[in-house]
C-alpha cells in the first residue's frame, strides 16, 4: 500500500507540475505576444506616417529618411490600398504557395495581384488597418495601410500551446514509466513469492503422501484415510498452481462444464448448509483451451469472496454460456455488494475490504484470465445489499 500511495502522490505531483509549467508558459507568452503586438502596431503607425509623407510631400530633402523607414520593414506583412480598393504597394506577402503551376507570366501576375487584394481586404476586415488622408479637408481621398502579424509574432502565439503539448506528453510518458516499473516490481514479488511457496510446500506434501501410504497399509479399511488422501492431493494441486505463476502454462482443450463442476463440488463440501451453490450449465459440453488448474483457482477465489460477502448465508450461482462467439462464465452471489467507489479498485493488488487478507486474490485472478488465457474479467453488476456478479469472457 505504501508503494501504491507513493505512485499516486508522484502522479499527482507530476500533473500539478505540468499544470504550473503550462499556466506559467501561457501567461509569459501572452505577455510577450501582447508587448510585441503593441510594438508592431507602433511600427505600422510610423510606417503609415512615412507613406503619407511620401505621398503628400513636395520636398525631396527628407525622402531618404522616409524611404529608409519604409524599406526597413522586412517582417510585417503590409498591403496599401487606395479608396477604390486597389493595391498601391505591398511588402512581405508570401504568395509562393499560391502560384499556378501552368500559365504565362501575365496570368501569374494577375493572379498574384488578386490574391494580394484579397489578403488586404481580409486584414482590413479584421480591423488591422490605418487610414491615411492625403488632405484633412478632403476625407474621400485616402489610403489604407493594412497589416498583419509578423511571422515571429505568429510563432510566439503558437509556442505556448506546443510547449503545453510537450509537457503533457512528458507527464504521460513519466506516468506510464512509473506504472510499468511498479507492475514489473509487483510481478517479480508475486512470482518469487509463488515459486518459493510451491517449493516450501513440496517437502511436507511429499512426506504426507508417504505417511498416507504407510497408514493405508496398516489401516486399509479406515475411511478417514480416503479423506486425508483427498486433502493431500488438494495440497499438491495448490503447490502446482503456485509453481505455474510467472510461467506461461500451455492451454489444452478442456470441458468447461467439468471444470466449473469441480469447483462447485469442492466449494459445496467446504461451506455451511446455509450457502446454496447453483449450477446453470448448457446440456452440451463447452470446450475451451485453458489451464484447468489455474482457471479453477480463479473461480474458487470468486466463490470464496462471495461466501465472505454473504457472511455464510445466501446463494452462489455459477453460470456458463456462449454469447457472440465468446464463452461466458458468471459468478453471482446474494451478498452485501460492492460500493460504487470501490468497483474500480477490486482488482488492484493490495485492495481488500476484509479485516484479514492480502488483497491478492482478485488481482491474481485477473492476471490468470487476461495474461494466461487472453480473456477478460470484470464486475458485471453490483448493488449494495443485493449482491454482485463477476463475469469472465474467454475466446473459443
Amino acid at each position: 500500500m505504501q508503494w501504491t500511495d507513493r505512485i499516486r502522490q508522484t502522479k499527482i505531483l507530476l500533473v500539478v507540475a505540468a499544470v504550473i509549467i503550462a499556466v506559467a508558459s501561457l501567461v509569459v507568452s501572452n505577455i510577450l505576444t501582447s508587448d510585441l503586438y503593441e510594438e508592431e502596431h507602433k511600427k505600422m503607425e510610423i510606417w503609415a506616417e512615412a507613406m503619407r509623407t511620401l505621398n503628400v510631400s513636395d520636398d525631396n530633402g527628407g525622402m531618404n529618411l522616409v524611404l529608409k523607414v519604409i524599406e526597413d520593414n522586412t517582417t510585417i506583412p503590409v498591403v496599401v490600398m487606395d479608396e477604390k480598393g486597389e493595391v498601391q504597394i505591398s511588402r512581405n506577402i508570401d504568395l509562393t504557395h499560391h502560384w499556378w503551376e501552368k500559365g504565362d507570366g501575365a496570368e501569374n501576375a494577375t493572379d498574384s495581384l488578386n490574391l494580394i487584394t484579397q489578403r488586404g481586404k481580409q486584414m482590413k476586415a479584421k480591423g488591422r488597418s490605418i487610414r491615411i488622408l492625403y488632405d484633412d479637408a478632403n476625407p474621400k481621398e485616402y489610403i489604407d495601410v493594412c497589416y498583419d502579424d509578423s511571422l515571429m509574432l505568429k510563432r510566439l502565439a503558437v509556442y505556448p500551446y506546443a510547449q503545453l503539448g510537450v509537457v503533457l506528453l512528458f507527464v504521460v510518458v513519466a506516468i506510464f514509466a512509473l506504472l510499468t516499473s511498479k507492475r514489473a516490481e509487483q510481478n517479480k514479488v508475486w512470482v518469487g513469492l509463488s515459486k518459493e511457496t510451491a517449493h516450501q510446500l513440496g517437502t511436507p506434501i511429499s512426506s504426507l503422501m508417504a505417511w498416507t501410504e504407510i497408514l493405508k497399509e496398516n489401516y486399509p479399511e479406515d475411511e478417514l484415510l480416503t479423506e486425508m488422501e483427498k486433502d493431500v492431493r488438494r495440497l499438491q494441486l495448490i503447490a502446482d498452481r503456485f509453481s505455474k505463476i510467472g510461467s506461461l502454462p500451455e492451454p489444452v482443450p478442456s470441458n468447461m462444464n467439468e471444470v466449473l463442476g469441480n469447483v462447485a463440488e469442492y466449494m459445496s463440501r467446504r461451506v455451511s448448509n446455509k450457502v446454496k451453490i447453483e449450477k446453470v450449465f448448457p446440456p452440451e459440453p463447452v470446450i475451451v483451451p485453458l489451464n484447468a488448474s489455474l482457471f479453477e483457482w480463479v473461480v474458487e477465489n470468486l466463490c470464496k469472496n462471495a461466501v465472505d460477502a454473504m457472511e455464510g448465508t445466501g446463494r452462489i450461482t455459477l453460470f456458463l454460456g456462449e454469447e457472440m462467439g465468446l464463452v461466458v462464465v458468471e459468478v453471482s452471489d446474494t451478498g452485501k455488494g460492492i460500493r460504487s467507489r470501490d468497483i474500480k479498485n477490486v482488482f488492484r493488488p493490495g485492495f481488500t475490504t476484509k479485516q484479514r487478507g492480502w488483497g491478492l486474490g482478485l488481482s491474481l485472478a485477473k492476471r490468470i484470465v487476461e495474461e494466461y488465457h487472453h480473456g477478460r474479467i470484470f464486475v458485471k453488476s453490483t448493488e449494495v445489499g443485493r449482491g454482485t456478479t463477476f463475469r469472465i469472457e474467454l475466446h473459443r
Side-chain angles (χ1 to χ4, degrees), residues 17-59:
V19 171
I20 293 175
I21 292 173
V23 171
S25 176
L26 288 173
V27 171
V28 173
S29 297
N30 284 335
I31 294 174
L32 294 176
T33 303
S34 178
D35 292 343
L36 187 56
Y37 172 79
E38 292 297 330
E39 182 179 349
E40 289 191 354
H41 182 73
K42 291 178 180 178
K43 286 182 179 180
M44 280 295 93
E45 289 180 342
I46 297 173
W47 201 86
E49 183 62 25
M51 286 295 300
R52 189 187 71 82
T53 302
L54 183 63
N55 281 279
V56 303
S57 177
D58 295 331
D59 184 12

Side-chain angles (χ1 to χ4, degrees), residues 77-276:
V78 180
V79 177
V80 179
M81 307 177 70
D82 60 15
E83 66 276 5
K84 297 178 182 179
E86 296 179 355
V87 176
Q88 299 298 309
I89 189 175
S90 66
R91 291 186 66 85
N92 308 319
I93 305 296
D94 183 13
L95 299 174
T96 55
H97 59 286
H98 292 295
W99 281 60
W100 294 351
E101 295 181 358
K102 297 181 180 180
D104 56 22
E107 288 177 334
N108 287 333
T110 303
D111 185 55
S112 299
L113 182 60
N114 291 334
L115 291 173
I116 293 173
T117 303
Q118 292 176 8
R119 184 75 180 277
K121 290 180 179 179
Q122 291 174 357
M123 296 175 183
K124 190 174 180 179
K126 294 178 181 178
R128 311 296 296 276
S129 64
I130 301 174
R131 178 160 293 183
I132 303 298
L133 299 178
Y134 291 127
D135 186 356
D136 293 339
N138 186 10
K140 293 183 179 181
E141 294 184 2
Y142 61 85
I143 59 173
D144 286 326
V145 178
C146 307
Y147 62 96
D148 200 358
D149 295 333
S150 64
L151 182 61
M152 181 183 298
L153 184 58
K154 290 180 178 179
R155 288 176 177 174
L156 185 60
V158 174
Y159 168 75
Y161 299 100
Q163 186 181 33
L164 177 60
V166 172
V167 171
L168 291 178
L169 179 62
F170 165 76
V171 172
V172 170
V173 172
I175 292 176
F176 177 77
L178 284 172
L179 293 177
T180 303
S181 174
K182 170 193 170 186
R183 187 176 303 172
E185 184 170 340
Q186 288 177 341
N187 287 341
K188 290 180 180 179
V189 172
W190 294 343
V191 171
L193 179 62
S194 299
K195 292 188 177 299
E196 180 64 21
T197 301
H199 177 71
Q200 294 296 333
L201 287 174
T203 301
I205 290 175
S206 299
S207 178
L208 286 172
M209 293 175 66
W211 281 112
T212 303
E213 292 298 325
I214 293 174
L215 290 173
K216 285 172 63 177
E217 292 178 0
N218 295 330
Y219 307 97
E221 298 180 358
D222 195 328
E223 297 179 356
L224 293 178
L225 290 177
T226 303
E227 296 300 320
M228 289 178 60
E229 192 174 15
K230 289 181 180 179
D231 287 336
V232 172
R233 285 200 298 267
R234 180 68 185 177
L235 285 173
Q236 191 175 16
L237 175 62
I238 292 173
D240 180 64
R241 288 173 176 174
F242 275 109
S243 67
K244 291 178 179 177
I245 297 296
S247 59
L248 291 177
E250 186 70 23
V252 296
S254 305
N255 187 347
M256 188 66 79
N257 306 58
E258 293 182 0
V259 172
L260 296 182
N262 293 336
V263 176
E265 181 182 358
Y266 171 75
M267 292 300 301
S268 62
R269 296 198 305 265
R270 284 161 175 77
V271 296
S272 68
N273 295 329
K274 296 181 180 180
V275 176
K276 304 298 181 182

Side-chain angles (χ1 to χ4, degrees), residues 54-73:
L54 183 63
N55 281 279
V56 303
S57 177
D58 295 331
D59 184 12
N60 293 329
M63 284 300 101
N64 291 334
L65 179 59
V66 172
L67 291 172
K68 187 176 187 309
V69 170
I70 294 174
E71 292 176 355
D72 278 349
N73 174 29

